[in-house]
Amino acid sequence: MAEHRTMQRGALLDAARSLLSEGGTEALTFPALAERTGLARSSVYEYFRSRAAVVEELCAVDFPVWAAEVELAMADADTPEAKVAAYVRKQLDLVGDRRHRAVVAISAGELDDGAREKIRAAHGGLVTMVVEALAALGTPEPRLGAMLLQGVVDAAVRRIELGAAEDPTLITEAAVTMALHGVTGPTS
Protein backbone atom coordinates (compact mmCIF):
# COMPACT_ATOMS: atom_id res chain seq x y z
CA MET A 1 0.00 0.00 0.00
CA ALA A 2 2.80 2.43 0.88
CA GLU A 3 4.47 1.71 -2.48
CA HIS A 4 1.19 2.46 -4.29
CA ARG A 5 0.87 5.78 -2.42
CA THR A 6 4.47 6.65 -3.34
CA MET A 7 3.73 5.90 -7.02
CA GLN A 8 0.58 8.04 -6.96
CA ARG A 9 2.44 10.89 -5.24
CA GLY A 10 5.15 10.64 -7.92
CA ALA A 11 2.50 10.69 -10.66
CA LEU A 12 0.92 13.79 -9.09
CA LEU A 13 4.31 15.55 -8.95
CA ASP A 14 5.02 14.61 -12.55
CA ALA A 15 1.60 15.93 -13.61
CA ALA A 16 2.31 19.13 -11.64
CA ARG A 17 5.65 19.57 -13.49
CA SER A 18 3.88 19.21 -16.83
CA LEU A 19 1.12 21.63 -15.91
CA LEU A 20 3.59 24.22 -14.61
CA SER A 21 5.85 23.93 -17.62
CA GLU A 22 2.89 24.16 -20.04
CA GLY A 23 0.87 26.92 -18.40
CA GLY A 24 2.63 28.34 -15.35
CA THR A 25 1.12 28.46 -11.88
CA GLU A 26 -2.40 29.22 -13.13
CA ALA A 27 -2.45 25.80 -14.83
CA LEU A 28 -1.65 23.99 -11.57
CA THR A 29 -5.12 23.21 -10.21
CA PHE A 30 -6.43 20.20 -8.32
CA PRO A 31 -9.01 19.39 -11.06
CA ALA A 32 -6.19 19.44 -13.65
CA LEU A 33 -4.01 17.22 -11.43
CA ALA A 34 -6.92 14.80 -10.99
CA GLU A 35 -7.57 14.72 -14.75
CA ARG A 36 -3.87 14.16 -15.62
CA THR A 37 -3.46 11.32 -13.15
CA GLY A 38 -6.89 9.71 -13.41
CA LEU A 39 -7.42 10.18 -9.67
CA ALA A 40 -10.55 11.59 -8.10
CA ARG A 41 -10.16 15.20 -7.00
CA SER A 42 -10.79 14.10 -3.40
CA SER A 43 -7.82 11.71 -3.74
CA VAL A 44 -5.55 14.59 -4.73
CA TYR A 45 -6.43 16.27 -1.41
CA GLU A 46 -5.30 13.12 0.42
CA TYR A 47 -1.77 13.78 -0.87
CA PHE A 48 -1.63 17.58 -0.82
CA ARG A 49 -3.65 20.07 1.22
CA SER A 50 -3.07 22.98 -1.19
CA ARG A 51 -1.32 24.12 -4.37
CA ALA A 52 1.39 25.60 -2.16
CA ALA A 53 2.00 22.13 -0.68
CA VAL A 54 2.46 20.70 -4.22
CA VAL A 55 4.86 23.53 -5.02
CA GLU A 56 6.84 23.02 -1.79
CA GLU A 57 7.27 19.33 -2.51
CA LEU A 58 8.31 19.99 -6.12
CA CYS A 59 10.95 22.42 -4.87
CA ALA A 60 12.12 19.92 -2.24
CA VAL A 61 12.45 17.17 -4.87
CA ASP A 62 13.55 19.03 -8.01
CA PHE A 63 15.65 21.95 -6.83
CA PRO A 64 18.42 19.81 -5.27
CA VAL A 65 18.72 17.79 -8.51
CA TRP A 66 18.98 20.97 -10.55
CA ALA A 67 21.45 22.53 -8.10
CA ALA A 68 23.58 19.35 -8.12
CA GLU A 69 23.87 19.60 -11.91
CA VAL A 70 25.07 23.21 -11.59
CA GLU A 71 27.50 22.20 -8.84
CA LEU A 72 28.89 19.35 -10.96
CA ALA A 73 29.43 21.67 -13.93
CA MET A 74 31.29 24.09 -11.66
CA ALA A 75 33.42 21.30 -10.17
CA ASP A 76 34.57 20.36 -13.67
CA ALA A 77 35.81 23.93 -14.28
CA ASP A 78 39.39 24.63 -13.24
CA THR A 79 39.58 28.44 -12.88
CA PRO A 80 37.33 30.90 -11.04
CA GLU A 81 36.31 32.42 -14.42
CA ALA A 82 35.42 28.99 -15.78
CA LYS A 83 33.43 28.22 -12.60
CA VAL A 84 31.38 31.42 -12.97
CA ALA A 85 30.81 30.69 -16.67
CA ALA A 86 29.74 27.11 -15.83
CA TYR A 87 27.35 28.44 -13.15
CA VAL A 88 25.64 30.65 -15.73
CA ARG A 89 25.78 28.23 -18.68
CA LYS A 90 24.49 25.18 -16.82
CA GLN A 91 21.46 27.00 -15.46
CA LEU A 92 20.63 28.27 -18.94
CA ASP A 93 21.26 24.82 -20.48
CA LEU A 94 18.60 23.45 -18.11
CA VAL A 95 15.91 25.89 -19.29
CA GLY A 96 14.31 23.25 -21.54
CA ASP A 97 14.21 20.71 -18.69
CA ARG A 98 10.70 20.29 -17.24
CA ARG A 99 12.03 20.33 -13.67
CA HIS A 100 13.69 23.65 -14.36
CA ARG A 101 10.62 25.07 -16.08
CA ALA A 102 8.50 24.04 -13.10
CA VAL A 103 10.89 25.75 -10.66
CA VAL A 104 10.88 28.92 -12.81
CA ALA A 105 7.06 28.92 -12.96
CA ILE A 106 6.94 28.38 -9.22
CA SER A 107 9.42 31.19 -8.54
CA ALA A 108 7.24 33.58 -10.53
CA GLY A 109 4.00 32.38 -8.96
CA GLU A 110 1.89 33.66 -6.12
CA LEU A 111 2.69 31.45 -3.15
CA ASP A 112 2.16 31.45 0.57
CA ASP A 113 5.00 32.68 2.79
CA GLY A 114 6.14 29.16 3.75
CA ALA A 115 6.57 28.07 0.13
CA ARG A 116 8.21 31.36 -0.81
CA GLU A 117 10.67 31.01 2.08
CA LYS A 118 11.61 27.47 1.00
CA ILE A 119 12.27 28.69 -2.54
CA ARG A 120 14.36 31.57 -1.23
CA ALA A 121 16.41 29.14 0.86
CA ALA A 122 16.93 26.85 -2.15
CA HIS A 123 17.99 29.81 -4.32
CA GLY A 124 20.29 30.92 -1.50
CA GLY A 125 22.03 27.53 -1.67
CA LEU A 126 22.50 27.95 -5.41
CA VAL A 127 23.91 31.46 -5.00
CA THR A 128 26.32 30.24 -2.28
CA MET A 129 27.99 27.94 -4.85
CA VAL A 130 29.36 30.88 -6.84
CA VAL A 131 30.43 33.12 -3.91
CA GLU A 132 33.84 31.45 -3.58
CA ALA A 133 34.61 31.81 -7.30
CA LEU A 134 33.64 35.50 -7.20
CA ALA A 135 35.83 36.04 -4.12
CA ALA A 136 38.75 34.41 -5.97
CA LEU A 137 38.17 36.85 -8.84
CA GLY A 138 38.47 39.77 -6.40
CA THR A 139 34.79 40.76 -6.37
CA PRO A 140 34.57 43.31 -3.50
CA GLU A 141 31.28 41.95 -2.03
CA PRO A 142 31.15 38.35 -3.30
CA ARG A 143 27.83 37.46 -1.63
CA LEU A 144 26.11 40.55 -3.05
CA GLY A 145 27.85 39.91 -6.38
CA ALA A 146 26.50 36.35 -6.39
CA MET A 147 22.94 37.58 -5.78
CA LEU A 148 23.22 40.13 -8.58
CA LEU A 149 24.75 37.49 -10.86
CA GLN A 150 21.76 35.24 -10.17
CA GLY A 151 19.56 38.17 -11.22
CA VAL A 152 21.34 38.20 -14.59
CA VAL A 153 20.82 34.43 -14.88
CA ASP A 154 17.13 34.76 -13.95
CA ALA A 155 16.66 37.53 -16.56
CA ALA A 156 18.35 35.34 -19.20
CA VAL A 157 16.13 32.39 -18.20
CA ARG A 158 13.01 34.55 -18.66
CA ARG A 159 14.30 35.80 -22.03
CA ILE A 160 14.84 32.22 -23.25
CA GLU A 161 11.50 31.08 -21.79
CA LEU A 162 9.65 33.86 -23.62
CA GLY A 163 11.08 32.64 -26.91
CA ALA A 164 12.84 35.97 -27.45
CA ALA A 165 14.06 36.98 -30.91
CA GLU A 166 17.63 36.11 -29.98
CA ASP A 167 18.91 32.56 -30.21
CA PRO A 168 19.22 30.94 -26.73
CA THR A 169 22.96 30.45 -27.36
CA LEU A 170 23.37 34.19 -27.92
CA ILE A 171 21.43 34.94 -24.71
CA THR A 172 23.61 32.45 -22.80
CA GLU A 173 26.87 33.92 -24.11
CA ALA A 174 25.68 37.48 -23.39
CA ALA A 175 24.86 36.42 -19.80
CA VAL A 176 28.31 34.79 -19.40
CA THR A 177 30.01 37.93 -20.79
CA MET A 178 28.02 40.14 -18.42
CA ALA A 179 28.88 37.83 -15.50
CA LEU A 180 32.59 37.95 -16.23
CA HIS A 181 33.06 41.44 -17.70
CA GLY A 182 30.04 43.58 -16.76
CA VAL A 183 28.18 45.68 -19.28
CA THR A 184 31.30 46.85 -21.12
CA GLY A 185 32.39 43.36 -22.17
CA PRO A 186 36.00 42.14 -22.42
CA THR A 187 38.51 44.98 -22.68
CA SER A 188 41.00 43.23 -24.92
Side-chain angles (χ1 to χ4, degrees):
M1 183 66 187
E3 189 176 319
H4 179 70
R5 284 191 62 80
T6 303
M7 282 174 56
Q8 284 192 326
R9 190 175 203 88
L12 284 164
L13 289 175
D14 206 44
R17 282 183 199 98
S18 295
L19 290 165
L20 284 164
S21 91
E22 291 161 19
T25 37
E26 308 77 47
L28 180 61
T29 64
F30 278 30
L33 283 171
E35 187 182 321
R36 288 280 170 112
T37 56
L39 292 170
R41 196 184 315 183
S42 59
S43 296
V44 177
Y45 282 99
E46 289 176 32
Y47 292 90
F48 299 104
R49 69 190 183 289
S50 65
R51 282 180 359 144
V54 177
V55 165
E56 282 183 46
E57 184 141 346
L58 269 180
C59 281
V61 171
D62 290 351
F63 208 96
V65 176
W66 178 31
E69 290 184 43
V70 174
E71 195 167 22
L72 198 60
M74 289 179 73
D76 287 344
D78 51 4
T79 66
E81 289 90 347
K83 286 184 186 309
V84 170
Y87 176 84
V88 173
R89 274 199 189 97
K90 190 61 183 179
Q91 287 188 68
L92 297 178
D93 285 349
L94 291 169
V95 169
D97 184 304
R98 278 186 332 137
R99 286 174 325 216
H100 179 273
R101 291 225 301 270
V103 171
V104 168
I106 288 164
S107 301
E110 73 302 331
L111 301 170
D112 68 30
D113 290 340
R116 202 173 289 117
E117 192 45 52
K118 284 194 168 121
I119 291 167
R120 255 198 299 275
H123 266 286
L126 194 60
V127 165
T128 299
M129 287 184 212
V130 80
V131 171
E132 192 178 321
L134 292 175
L137 288 172
T139 303
E141 296 283 339
R143 178 95 190 142
L144 175 60
M147 288 186 230
L148 296 174
L149 171 58
Q150 188 59 43
V152 169
V153 173
D154 293 344
V157 164
R158 281 192 299 278
R159 190 101 187 127
I160 293 169
E161 285 280 333
L162 288 170
E166 305 89 5
D167 182 88
T169 307
L170 181 68
I171 295 169
T172 299
E173 291 316 306
V176 169
T177 298
M178 185 164 283
L180 293 173
H181 306 289
V183 292
T184 57
T187 51
S188 53

